[in-house]
Amino acid sequence: MKAIKETQRWYGYFFIGLSVVALVLAGVVPVTLFQRALLITTALTLLVYGLTYEAKITRLWWQILLIASGIVFVLDVGSAWTTAYFVTPLLSLLLPLIFLGILLGYLRRYIRH
């Protein structure tokens, strides 16, 4: 049983590492504002997904992730609003945002009081 938990922890580290790579790409690669917003949303979603492999999380960290998700949501809607077509970019951002919301709800169950 311990080997399974250790393997799952490494899965979490892997997704957190992918999150860092996506965040670095968002900062380094010259892309449009919309593509940058999509990379940042993906990075935050991968970070939260990696944290779901942890056994417990503190309420403060969960609140920080919730606030960061709200800020990213506002930035995503703002970047979609600046494009020529509003609906298509918003729909492409909708999947990672919905997944992020589901993960935050799932992670809330593991808050350590």
Side-chain angles (χ1 to χ4, degrees), residues 3-35:
I4 292 172
K5 293 228 181 251
E6 190 66 29
T7 303
Q8 287 179 341
R9 184 173 294 129
W10 281 106
Y11 285 153
Y13 295 152
F14 173 73
F15 286 111
I16 291 170
L18 281 178
S19 168
V20 170
V21 169
L23 195 58
V24 168
L25 285 175
V28 174
V29 176
V31 292
T32 65
L33 178 66
F34 171 71
Q35 291 170 337

mmCIF file of all heavy atoms in Angstrom, residues 3-35:
data_model
loop_
_atom_site.group_PDB
_atom_site.id
_atom_site.type_symbol
_atom_site.label_atom_id
_atom_site.label_comp_id
_atom_site.label_asym_id
_atom_site.label_seq_id
_atom_site.Cartn_x
_atom_site.Cartn_y
_atom_site.Cartn_z
ATOM 1 N N ALA A 3 3.753 1.653 -1.398
ATOM 2 C CA ALA A 3 4.311 1.866 -2.738
ATOM 3 C C ALA A 3 3.305 2.575 -3.642
ATOM 4 O O ALA A 3 3.688 3.424 -4.446
ATOM 5 C CB ALA A 3 4.721 0.537 -3.353
ATOM 6 N N ILE A 4 2.019 2.260 -3.486
ATOM 7 C CA ILE A 4 0.999 2.921 -4.293
ATOM 8 C C ILE A 4 0.908 4.388 -3.932
ATOM 9 O O ILE A 4 0.856 5.264 -4.801
ATOM 10 C CB ILE A 4 -0.370 2.221 -4.114
ATOM 11 C CG1 ILE A 4 -0.318 0.827 -4.726
ATOM 12 C CG2 ILE A 4 -1.488 3.041 -4.738
ATOM 13 C CD1 ILE A 4 -1.534 -0.016 -4.437
ATOM 14 N N LYS A 5 0.918 4.694 -2.629
ATOM 15 C CA LYS A 5 0.850 6.092 -2.194
ATOM 16 C C LYS A 5 2.083 6.867 -2.656
ATOM 17 O O LYS A 5 1.976 8.025 -3.048
ATOM 18 C CB LYS A 5 0.707 6.163 -0.682
ATOM 19 C CG LYS A 5 -0.597 5.621 -0.191
ATOM 20 C CD LYS A 5 -1.200 6.579 0.773
ATOM 21 C CE LYS A 5 -2.494 6.019 1.277
ATOM 22 N NZ LYS A 5 -3.615 6.706 0.785
ATOM 23 N N GLU A 6 3.246 6.225 -2.605
ATOM 24 C CA GLU A 6 4.470 6.885 -3.057
ATOM 25 C C GLU A 6 4.421 7.147 -4.560
ATOM 26 O O GLU A 6 4.828 8.211 -5.025
ATOM 27 C CB GLU A 6 5.687 6.019 -2.709
ATOM 28 C CG GLU A 6 6.999 6.708 -2.924
ATOM 29 C CD GLU A 6 7.225 7.878 -1.990
ATOM 30 O OE1 GLU A 6 6.712 7.881 -0.866
ATOM 31 O OE2 GLU A 6 7.920 8.812 -2.401
ATOM 32 N N THR A 7 3.903 6.197 -5.323
ATOM 33 C CA THR A 7 3.759 6.384 -6.769
ATOM 34 C C THR A 7 2.781 7.517 -7.063
ATOM 35 O O THR A 7 3.031 8.346 -7.934
ATOM 36 C CB THR A 7 3.268 5.080 -7.432
ATOM 37 O OG1 THR A 7 4.190 4.048 -7.128
ATOM 38 C CG2 THR A 7 3.154 5.241 -8.931
ATOM 39 N N GLN A 8 1.680 7.575 -6.331
ATOM 40 C CA GLN A 8 0.717 8.650 -6.535
ATOM 41 C C GLN A 8 1.325 10.001 -6.199
ATOM 42 O O GLN A 8 1.045 10.988 -6.866
ATOM 43 C CB GLN A 8 -0.532 8.408 -5.683
ATOM 44 C CG GLN A 8 -1.391 7.299 -6.212
ATOM 45 C CD GLN A 8 -2.601 7.062 -5.337
ATOM 46 O OE1 GLN A 8 -2.653 7.462 -4.187
ATOM 47 N NE2 GLN A 8 -3.594 6.389 -5.902
ATOM 48 N N ARG A 9 2.146 10.061 -5.168
ATOM 49 C CA ARG A 9 2.808 11.318 -4.822
ATOM 50 C C ARG A 9 3.709 11.770 -5.975
ATOM 51 O O ARG A 9 3.752 12.950 -6.303
ATOM 52 C CB ARG A 9 3.612 11.144 -3.538
ATOM 53 C CG ARG A 9 4.243 12.450 -3.098
ATOM 54 C CD ARG A 9 4.896 12.357 -1.741
ATOM 55 N NE ARG A 9 3.883 12.123 -0.730
ATOM 56 C CZ ARG A 9 3.951 11.155 0.182
ATOM 57 N NH1 ARG A 9 4.978 10.343 0.205
ATOM 58 N NH2 ARG A 9 3.019 11.008 1.068
ATOM 59 N N TRP A 10 4.387 10.817 -6.621
ATOM 60 C CA TRP A 10 5.241 11.183 -7.754
ATOM 61 C C TRP A 10 4.412 11.640 -8.950
ATOM 62 O O TRP A 10 4.848 12.488 -9.720
ATOM 63 C CB TRP A 10 6.169 10.033 -8.127
ATOM 64 C CG TRP A 10 7.326 9.974 -7.180
ATOM 65 C CD1 TRP A 10 7.536 9.071 -6.189
ATOM 66 C CD2 TRP A 10 8.421 10.891 -7.114
ATOM 67 N NE1 TRP A 10 8.685 9.359 -5.510
ATOM 68 C CE2 TRP A 10 9.254 10.478 -6.054
ATOM 69 C CE3 TRP A 10 8.770 12.029 -7.828
ATOM 70 C CZ2 TRP A 10 10.411 11.156 -5.702
ATOM 71 C CZ3 TRP A 10 9.935 12.695 -7.488
ATOM 72 C CH2 TRP A 10 10.732 12.255 -6.441
ATOM 73 N N TYR A 11 3.215 11.073 -9.114
ATOM 74 C CA TYR A 11 2.312 11.587 -10.151
ATOM 75 C C TYR A 11 1.992 13.049 -9.880
ATOM 76 O O TYR A 11 1.972 13.877 -10.789
ATOM 77 C CB TYR A 11 1.004 10.787 -10.190
ATOM 78 C CG TYR A 11 1.085 9.432 -10.808
ATOM 79 C CD1 TYR A 11 0.191 8.438 -10.424
ATOM 80 C CD2 TYR A 11 2.029 9.109 -11.767
ATOM 81 C CE1 TYR A 11 0.243 7.171 -10.983
ATOM 82 C CE2 TYR A 11 2.095 7.855 -12.323
ATOM 83 C CZ TYR A 11 1.200 6.895 -11.930
ATOM 84 O OH TYR A 11 1.256 5.655 -12.481
ATOM 85 N N GLY A 12 1.718 13.362 -8.642
ATOM 86 C CA GLY A 12 1.444 14.749 -8.267
ATOM 87 C C GLY A 12 2.615 15.658 -8.581
ATOM 88 O O GLY A 12 2.446 16.749 -9.128
ATOM 89 N N TYR A 13 3.825 15.211 -8.241
ATOM 90 C CA TYR A 13 5.016 16.007 -8.547
ATOM 91 C C TYR A 13 5.188 16.194 -10.051
ATOM 92 O O TYR A 13 5.615 17.256 -10.513
ATOM 93 C CB TYR A 13 6.270 15.356 -7.964
ATOM 94 C CG TYR A 13 6.297 15.300 -6.457
ATOM 95 C CD1 TYR A 13 6.997 14.307 -5.806
ATOM 96 C CD2 TYR A 13 5.616 16.238 -5.679
ATOM 97 C CE1 TYR A 13 7.038 14.241 -4.423
ATOM 98 C CE2 TYR A 13 5.650 16.184 -4.300
ATOM 99 C CZ TYR A 13 6.361 15.187 -3.680
ATOM 100 O OH TYR A 13 6.395 15.121 -2.319
ATOM 101 N N PHE A 14 4.850 15.169 -10.813
ATOM 102 C CA PHE A 14 4.953 15.255 -12.271
ATOM 103 C C PHE A 14 4.022 16.345 -12.809
ATOM 104 O O PHE A 14 4.428 17.181 -13.628
ATOM 105 C CB PHE A 14 4.616 13.900 -12.897
ATOM 106 C CG PHE A 14 4.532 13.924 -14.393
ATOM 107 C CD1 PHE A 14 5.674 14.023 -15.163
ATOM 108 C CD2 PHE A 14 3.300 13.864 -15.035
ATOM 109 C CE1 PHE A 14 5.601 14.050 -16.552
ATOM 110 C CE2 PHE A 14 3.213 13.902 -16.409
ATOM 111 C CZ PHE A 14 4.366 13.989 -17.169
ATOM 112 N N PHE A 15 2.774 16.365 -12.350
ATOM 113 C CA PHE A 15 1.836 17.374 -12.833
ATOM 114 C C PHE A 15 2.193 18.771 -12.336
ATOM 115 O O PHE A 15 1.988 19.754 -13.052
ATOM 116 C CB PHE A 15 0.406 16.999 -12.447
ATOM 117 C CG PHE A 15 -0.130 15.867 -13.267
ATOM 118 C CD1 PHE A 15 -0.368 14.635 -12.694
ATOM 119 C CD2 PHE A 15 -0.370 16.027 -14.615
ATOM 120 C CE1 PHE A 15 -0.845 13.580 -13.449
ATOM 121 C CE2 PHE A 15 -0.846 14.984 -15.387
ATOM 122 C CZ PHE A 15 -1.081 13.754 -14.803
ATOM 123 N N ILE A 16 2.742 18.867 -11.146
ATOM 124 C CA ILE A 16 3.205 20.169 -10.664
ATOM 125 C C ILE A 16 4.378 20.642 -11.522
ATOM 126 O O ILE A 16 4.479 21.822 -11.865
ATOM 127 C CB ILE A 16 3.577 20.089 -9.171
ATOM 128 C CG1 ILE A 16 2.301 19.883 -8.342
ATOM 129 C CG2 ILE A 16 4.319 21.324 -8.715
ATOM 130 C CD1 ILE A 16 2.548 19.562 -6.883
ATOM 131 N N GLY A 17 5.268 19.725 -11.905
ATOM 132 C CA GLY A 17 6.369 20.073 -12.808
ATOM 133 C C GLY A 17 5.871 20.529 -14.171
ATOM 134 O O GLY A 17 6.396 21.491 -14.745
ATOM 135 N N LEU A 18 4.858 19.843 -14.707
ATOM 136 C CA LEU A 18 4.256 20.287 -15.969
ATOM 137 C C LEU A 18 3.653 21.676 -15.829
ATOM 138 O O LEU A 18 3.694 22.483 -16.765
ATOM 139 C CB LEU A 18 3.180 19.304 -16.426
ATOM 140 C CG LEU A 18 3.639 18.024 -17.092
ATOM 141 C CD1 LEU A 18 2.436 17.155 -17.426
ATOM 142 C CD2 LEU A 18 4.439 18.315 -18.335
ATOM 143 N N SER A 19 3.097 21.952 -14.665
ATOM 144 C CA SER A 19 2.539 23.277 -14.404
ATOM 145 C C SER A 19 3.621 24.350 -14.480
ATOM 146 O O SER A 19 3.418 25.415 -15.067
ATOM 147 C CB SER A 19 1.880 23.290 -13.022
ATOM 148 O OG SER A 19 1.586 24.582 -12.616
ATOM 149 N N VAL A 20 4.768 24.057 -13.904
ATOM 150 C CA VAL A 20 5.883 25.009 -13.944
ATOM 151 C C VAL A 20 6.350 25.220 -15.385
ATOM 152 O O VAL A 20 6.615 26.359 -15.809
ATOM 153 C CB VAL A 20 7.038 24.529 -13.038
ATOM 154 C CG1 VAL A 20 8.290 25.357 -13.241
ATOM 155 C CG2 VAL A 20 6.605 24.551 -11.585
ATOM 156 N N VAL A 21 6.414 24.150 -16.157
ATOM 157 C CA VAL A 21 6.812 24.260 -17.570
ATOM 158 C C VAL A 21 5.817 25.130 -18.345
ATOM 159 O O VAL A 21 6.216 26.004 -19.114
ATOM 160 C CB VAL A 21 6.942 22.862 -18.218
ATOM 161 C CG1 VAL A 21 7.092 22.957 -19.723
ATOM 162 C CG2 VAL A 21 8.113 22.108 -17.617
ATOM 163 N N ALA A 22 4.527 24.922 -18.127
ATOM 164 C CA ALA A 22 3.510 25.722 -18.813
ATOM 165 C C ALA A 22 3.597 27.186 -18.401
ATOM 166 O O ALA A 22 3.444 28.091 -19.231
ATOM 167 C CB ALA A 22 2.112 25.178 -18.530
ATOM 168 N N LEU A 23 3.869 27.444 -17.124
ATOM 169 C CA LEU A 23 3.996 28.825 -16.657
ATOM 170 C C LEU A 23 5.229 29.496 -17.251
ATOM 171 O O LEU A 23 5.176 30.663 -17.658
ATOM 172 C CB LEU A 23 4.049 28.842 -15.137
ATOM 173 C CG LEU A 23 3.822 30.182 -14.464
ATOM 174 C CD1 LEU A 23 2.469 30.747 -14.847
ATOM 175 C CD2 LEU A 23 3.930 30.037 -12.972
ATOM 176 N N VAL A 24 6.334 28.767 -17.338
ATOM 177 C CA VAL A 24 7.553 29.315 -17.958
ATOM 178 C C VAL A 24 7.305 29.599 -19.434
ATOM 179 O O VAL A 24 7.717 30.646 -19.953
ATOM 180 C CB VAL A 24 8.750 28.354 -17.747
ATOM 181 C CG1 VAL A 24 9.921 28.737 -18.620
ATOM 182 C CG2 VAL A 24 9.151 28.330 -16.288
ATOM 183 N N LEU A 25 6.639 28.689 -20.121
ATOM 184 C CA LEU A 25 6.315 28.915 -21.532
ATOM 185 C C LEU A 25 5.431 30.144 -21.713
ATOM 186 O O LEU A 25 5.596 30.898 -22.673
ATOM 187 C CB LEU A 25 5.627 27.691 -22.128
ATOM 188 C CG LEU A 25 6.514 26.502 -22.434
ATOM 189 C CD1 LEU A 25 5.672 25.322 -22.900
ATOM 190 C CD2 LEU A 25 7.545 26.861 -23.478
ATOM 191 N N ALA A 26 4.502 30.355 -20.792
ATOM 192 C CA ALA A 26 3.637 31.529 -20.877
ATOM 193 C C ALA A 26 4.431 32.820 -20.728
ATOM 194 O O ALA A 26 4.082 33.838 -21.312
ATOM 195 C CB ALA A 26 2.550 31.471 -19.806
ATOM 196 N N GLY A 27 5.518 32.762 -19.963
ATOM 197 C CA GLY A 27 6.325 33.956 -19.770
ATOM 198 C C GLY A 27 7.397 34.164 -20.814
ATOM 199 O O GLY A 27 7.786 35.303 -21.095
ATOM 200 N N VAL A 28 7.876 33.095 -21.425
ATOM 201 C CA VAL A 28 9.038 33.191 -22.319
ATOM 202 C C VAL A 28 8.643 33.255 -23.791
ATOM 203 O O VAL A 28 9.184 34.064 -24.552
ATOM 204 C CB VAL A 28 9.991 32.001 -22.063
ATOM 205 C CG1 VAL A 28 11.121 31.980 -23.064
ATOM 206 C CG2 VAL A 28 10.536 32.045 -20.655
ATOM 207 N N VAL A 29 7.727 32.412 -24.195
ATOM 208 C CA VAL A 29 7.379 32.297 -25.610
ATOM 209 C C VAL A 29 6.525 33.492 -26.039
ATOM 210 O O VAL A 29 5.551 33.829 -25.368
ATOM 211 C CB VAL A 29 6.624 30.972 -25.868
ATOM 212 C CG1 VAL A 29 6.175 30.866 -27.300
ATOM 213 C CG2 VAL A 29 7.491 29.796 -25.493
ATOM 214 N N PRO A 30 6.899 34.140 -27.139
ATOM 215 C CA PRO A 30 6.086 35.271 -27.610
ATOM 216 C C PRO A 30 4.802 34.785 -28.290
ATOM 217 O O PRO A 30 4.828 34.281 -29.412
ATOM 218 C CB PRO A 30 7.003 35.989 -28.609
ATOM 219 C CG PRO A 30 7.960 34.938 -29.067
ATOM 220 C CD PRO A 30 8.099 33.957 -27.937
ATOM 221 N N VAL A 31 3.695 34.873 -27.584
ATOM 222 C CA VAL A 31 2.401 34.444 -28.101
ATOM 223 C C VAL A 31 1.387 35.565 -27.880
ATOM 224 O O VAL A 31 1.671 36.554 -27.212
ATOM 225 C CB VAL A 31 1.917 33.146 -27.400
ATOM 226 C CG1 VAL A 31 2.794 31.964 -27.760
ATOM 227 C CG2 VAL A 31 1.855 33.310 -25.901
ATOM 228 N N THR A 32 0.202 35.371 -28.426
ATOM 229 C CA THR A 32 -0.839 36.376 -28.256
ATOM 230 C C THR A 32 -1.354 36.354 -26.821
ATOM 231 O O THR A 32 -1.094 35.418 -26.059
ATOM 232 C CB THR A 32 -2.014 36.109 -29.220
ATOM 233 O OG1 THR A 32 -2.614 34.870 -28.864
ATOM 234 C CG2 THR A 32 -1.547 36.085 -30.655
ATOM 235 N N LEU A 33 -2.105 37.378 -26.470
ATOM 236 C CA LEU A 33 -2.663 37.483 -25.126
ATOM 237 C C LEU A 33 -3.592 36.313 -24.819
ATOM 238 O O LEU A 33 -3.568 35.758 -23.724
ATOM 239 C CB LEU A 33 -3.424 38.807 -24.978
ATOM 240 C CG LEU A 33 -4.110 39.052 -23.647
ATOM 241 C CD1 LEU A 33 -3.076 39.197 -22.548
ATOM 242 C CD2 LEU A 33 -4.982 40.283 -23.718
ATOM 243 N N PHE A 34 -4.383 35.921 -25.791
ATOM 244 C CA PHE A 34 -5.300 34.803 -25.591
ATOM 245 C C PHE A 34 -4.551 33.500 -25.349
ATOM 246 O O PHE A 34 -4.895 32.727 -24.460
ATOM 247 C CB PHE A 34 -6.238 34.666 -26.790
ATOM 248 C CG PHE A 34 -7.045 33.415 -26.752
ATOM 249 C CD1 PHE A 34 -8.061 33.269 -25.834
ATOM 250 C CD2 PHE A 34 -6.759 32.367 -27.610
ATOM 251 C CE1 PHE A 34 -8.793 32.105 -25.779
ATOM 252 C CE2 PHE A 34 -7.482 31.203 -27.564
ATOM 253 C CZ PHE A 34 -8.507 31.065 -26.642
ATOM 254 N N GLN A 35 -3.512 33.236 -26.134
ATOM 255 C CA GLN A 35 -2.731 32.014 -25.952
ATOM 256 C C GLN A 35 -2.003 32.015 -24.609
ATOM 257 O O GLN A 35 -1.879 30.977 -23.958
ATOM 258 C CB GLN A 35 -1.742 31.849 -27.098
ATOM 259 C CG GLN A 35 -2.413 31.544 -28.416
ATOM 260 C CD GLN A 35 -1.445 31.632 -29.587
ATOM 261 O OE1 GLN A 35 -0.414 32.300 -29.497
ATOM 262 N NE2 GLN A 35 -1.777 30.964 -30.673
#
